[in-house]
Amino acid sequence: MNAAYPKRSLDVEKIRGDFPILKLQVNGKPLVYLDNAASSQMPQAVIDRIVRYQSEEHSNIHRAVHYLSELATKEFEEARVKVQKFINAKESREVIFTRGTTEAINLVMHGYGRAFIGRGDEIIISGLEHHANIVPWQMLAEEKGAVLRVIPMNDAGELLIDEFEALFNAKTKFLALTHVSNALGTINPVKQMVAFAHKHGVPVLLDGAQAAPHQVLDVQELDCDFYAFSGHKMCGPTGIGVLYGKAQMLEKMQPYQGGGDMILSVTFEKTTYNVIPAKFEAGTPPIMAAIALGAAIDYLQSIGMANIEAYEHELLAYATEQVSSMPGVRVIGTAKHKAAVMSFEIKGVHPHDVGTILNSEGIAIRTGHHCAQPVMQRFHVPATARASFAFYNTKSEIDKLVVGIRKVQEMFS
Ligand code: C6P
């Protein structure tokens, strides 16, 4: 495990001081930022790292012998090693930099799915997936004549494990599953589900967009074949994400895009491909963003992922208790194991109006279908209001959310 950080409670006021944006006033009120599942905020250390890179280190990488190119290459590859250690991958070549979770999943669909999934084969996904882990598999199924099978859930938003197991048969070729649901916060029992899939010889991709920012990760312990996540949800910049893949899987896959670093040699007759990870990093990669993601990982680890997880769990429990005891408010997604996401609806008020009124109080939440329309359909709602927490949020911010919800109810009563 890579959780070797001392267990301690967080000094949240000190941590908040690291985030310049948290000092903002919005509509004359102090910003209460509860939209972390969409994108988290950036600490000064990461902002400073971006400025230093752009002011003193920037160049293209892997292409020249001059000082700046060698420096940028070294920093970029060191960022890869930071990611490797953060997720406890066996080797740094198992870490592919992508633009985000969406691109990482699409890479697997193209590189693995198009090569190894054919007519009549079955791909299992779950009813909890974000569109990024539905649509690519649907596109593949359409192209190949394969079939999408969906794991159902109960009214709490927990996957039905018996039904999951019953989906497997000789035609099952792939499992693509979210680690944590972005719409409901459910944490899936992924280790157990990966083990079951492997018993049937089925490889597994885990969508870790909502897990990587909130908990200790160990891809070797999970034993997943692929793991995807985004930098901008874990204090890094947009435009950078990670695909972890077991080396033996990545090696047998087809490249996703052609050009730049992914070649070994090119003639008009034939191109030979580079080894991993370069094989999947065509063109100039997001160098600055990768280095900034490395700085974000340093920052998160200085706090400790286990400490972050414990603190956010406390926040979620507090928020759930406060909000679910309010008359006329329903929390949607009541799984036993949840991460820092709370979806809710206020009786008689459209979530969009909830978001607008809370915004007038300086409170940022997300409203809508959260790019998870099948989850909305399962709960028979067009949309939800969603508060999502980070380790820099406080119980007093949750109190402000509760006051805001009361204000919404008063305005609509
Ligand atoms: N969810 C949310 O507000 P990208 O956009 O590629 O960084 O991440 C896509 C993605 C994939 N899987 C899950 C589980 C996600 O939550 C997300 C992004 C954001 O919930 C924006 S839609």
Side-chain angles (χ1 to χ4, degrees):
M1 295 284 290
N2 58 357
Y5 294 92
K7 268 254 175 213
R8 58 183 160 80
S9 56
L10 304 189
D11 183 347
V12 178
E13 277 319 307
K14 182 168 173 293
I15 286 170
R16 288 179 68 80
D18 294 338
F19 289 80
I21 208 166
L22 297 181
K23 296 183 185 74
L24 273 188
Q25 299 269 317
V26 171
N27 295 319
K29 310 269 167 60
L31 169 69
V32 175
Y33 189 75
L34 302 177
D35 194 18
N36 296 286
S39 206
S40 62
Q41 298 299 347
M42 194 182 276
Q44 191 64 49
V46 178
I47 298 170
D48 289 346
R49 187 67 192 89
I50 292 171
V51 171
R52 178 152 67 90
Y53 172 76
Q54 294 298 161
S55 326
E56 301 172 21
E57 301 173 352
H58 172 67
S59 178
N60 211 326
I61 57 167
H62 300 145
R63 281 159 169 78
V65 293
H66 62 76
Y67 167 78
L68 282 178
S69 180
E70 289 196 339
L71 181 58
T73 301
K74 177 175 149 298
E75 301 290 352
F76 181 80
E77 291 305 329
E78 279 178 13
R80 196 189 304 281
V81 173
K82 285 178 187 177
V83 173
Q84 175 206 348
K85 293 192 172 143
F86 182 70
I87 61 174
N88 197 31
K90 214 185 274 174
E91 303 175 65
S92 64
R93 68 191 180 116
E94 297 180 313
V95 172
I96 314 289
F97 283 123
T98 65
R99 280 196 300 125
T101 306
T102 304
E103 189 177 59
I105 296 170
N106 277 274
L107 191 163
V108 176
M109 183 278 265
H110 282 271
Y112 183 89
R114 292 178 93 193
F116 297 104
I117 294 171
R119 176 160 297 279
D121 287 344
E122 296 185 4
I123 303 159
I124 300 179
I125 60 171
S126 88
L128 283 171
E129 301 309 314
H130 183 281
H131 298 162
N133 204 25
I134 301 174
V135 182
W137 305 112
Q138 225 162 24
M139 290 162 81
L140 180 72
E142 212 164 287
E143 177 187 321
K144 295 286 183 177
V147 179
L148 216 54
R149 308 292 302 272
V150 183
I151 312 163
M153 67 182 109
N154 63 21
D155 291 339
E158 294 162 325
L159 295 181
L160 299 173
I161 298 301
D162 286 350
E163 303 221 14
F164 159 70
E165 294 184 354
L167 287 177
F168 281 77
N169 62 56
K171 290 188 242 152
T172 311
K173 289 288 150 51
F174 203 78
L175 169 63
L177 179 67
T178 195
H179 190 167
V180 171
S181 154
N182 72 315
L184 305 181
T186 310
I187 304 174
N188 287 323
V190 287
K191 191 176 165 193
Q192 173 194 341
M193 295 171 83
V194 169
F196 188 84
H198 283 176
K199 255 201 269 172
H200 291 261
V202 173
V204 185
L205 174 141
L206 295 179
D207 172 351
Q210 299 295 347
H214 302 291
Q215 63 169 82
V216 176
L217 266 185
D218 187 332
V219 289
Q220 291 188 71
E221 193 193 328
L222 292 175
D223 198 28
C224 53
D225 301 274
F226 302 101
Y227 198 93
F229 56 100
S230 300
H232 69 96
K233 296 184 196 290
M234 46 191 286
C235 301
T238 52
I240 186 76
V242 170
L243 173 68
Y244 156 79
K246 284 183 181 168
Q248 74 267 23
M249 300 296 281
L250 294 173
E251 271 164 352
K252 66 180 179 187
M253 282 160 57
Q254 290 301 305
Y256 173 45
Q257 293 179 331
D261 264 2
M262 56 75 75
I263 63 101
L264 268 187
S265 68
V266 180
T267 66
F268 287 120
E269 288 69 43
K270 185 171 170 58
T271 292
T272 55
Y273 304 134
N274 210 337
V275 292
I276 60 168
K279 181 170 128 186
F280 295 107
E281 292 179 356
T284 300
I287 307 166
M288 175 276 280
I291 293 170
L293 174 59
I297 286 175
D298 287 343
Y299 179 81
L300 291 172
Q301 292 194 318
S302 73
I303 297 168
M305 293 310 294
N307 300 322
I308 287 174
E309 186 177 349
Y311 176 71
E312 289 179 354
H313 191 78
E314 228 178 85
L315 277 185
L316 178 70
Y318 182 73
T320 306
E321 192 187 306
Q322 298 298 309
V323 171
S324 58
S325 64
M326 298 178 80
V329 184
R330 174 167 79 116
V331 170
I332 299 175
T334 49
K336 202 155 156 236
H337 301 290
K338 276 184 67 172
V341 167
M342 185 181 65
S343 259
F344 60 96
E345 63 168 1
I346 303 177
K347 202 166 168 222
V349 190
H350 192 280
H352 189 75
D353 294 325
V354 178
T356 306
I357 295 165
L358 291 179
N359 180 55
S360 69
E361 299 296 306
I363 303 170
I365 61 160
R366 183 174 170 184
T367 56
H369 54 60
H370 315 295
C371 304
Q373 287 186 7
V375 176
M376 303 298 115
Q377 289 149 16
R378 169 65 180 75
F379 286 89
H380 310 291
V381 290
T384 73
R386 183 190 70 180
S388 55
F389 309 107
F391 55 91
Y392 43 71
N393 290 127
T394 63
K395 287 187 182 166
S396 83
E397 289 183 311
I398 291 166
D399 293 339
K400 286 182 184 169
L401 173 68
V402 170
V403 171
I405 292 173
R406 251 186 235 125
K407 184 169 175 195
V408 174
Q409 289 177 314
E410 279 159 22
M411 287 177 76
F412 277 83
S413 65

